[in-house]
Amino acid sequence: QVQLEESGGGLVLAGGSLRLSCTASRGSLSNYGLAWFRQAPGKEREFVATVSWTGVSTDYADSVKGRFTISRDNAKNTLYLQMNNLKPEDTAVYYCAAGADASRYPPYDYWGQGTQVTVSS
């Protein structure tokens, strides 16, 4: 069983940066594909980025490509999402997820509780 916990969310001005972290308080992330998803108010949860268990392969939603970078540190049991040039439309609750495959499409086996990111214009 893996327990995931996100951190690093907050309020930032448009054009600013944040780095989200996702740590496993129980279990190891090293053998899982990892992903970030987000859900804005009144909208469905959407894919943001994935990274393979080796960290070599990544995939991004078109809306964040070139601005966000997903990475992982298996030694620290941590997943990251570096978010630059943030836009108001990036405002959402961001969730990390762990699963057998790094895919744009759930199901994922484990999810965090989410961290709020708010971008003001």
Side-chain angles (χ1 to χ4, degrees):
Q1 193 79 318
V2 175
Q3 280 190 326
L4 303 176
E5 183 173 355
E6 302 93 340
S7 62
L11 173 65
V12 64
L13 291 174
S17 298
L18 284 174
R19 188 175 81 156
L20 305 183
S21 299
C22 172
T23 58
S25 58
R26 190 167 65 185
S28 172
L29 297 180
S30 60
N31 293 325
Y32 290 95
L34 302 175
W36 289 98
F37 289 80
R38 67 187 182 186
Q39 187 167 18
K43 296 186 177 181
E44 294 187 352
R45 188 174 297 187
E46 65 174 3
F47 162 75
V48 175
T50 65
V51 60
S52 63
W53 69 273
T54 62
V56 172
S57 297
T58 58
D59 187 23
Y60 296 92
D62 288 344
S63 59
V64 307
K65 199 172 293 183
R67 300 187 297 121
F68 290 11
T69 302
I70 189 171
S71 63
R72 64 190 296 165
D73 186 335
N74 288 338
K76 294 183 178 180
N77 220 20
T78 302
L79 170 71
Y80 302 101
L81 185 68
Q82 177 67 44
M83 305 186 294
N84 298 328
N85 191 22
L86 282 160
K87 303 176 181 180
E89 51 264 42
D90 294 318
T91 295
V93 177
Y94 283 71
Y95 300 89
C96 62
D101 298 309
S103 169
R104 291 181 172 225
Y105 308 105
Y108 276 81
D109 298 313
Y110 305 104
W111 293 84
Q113 293 299 306
T115 185
Q116 176 70 48
V117 172
T118 303
V119 185
S120 64
S121 57

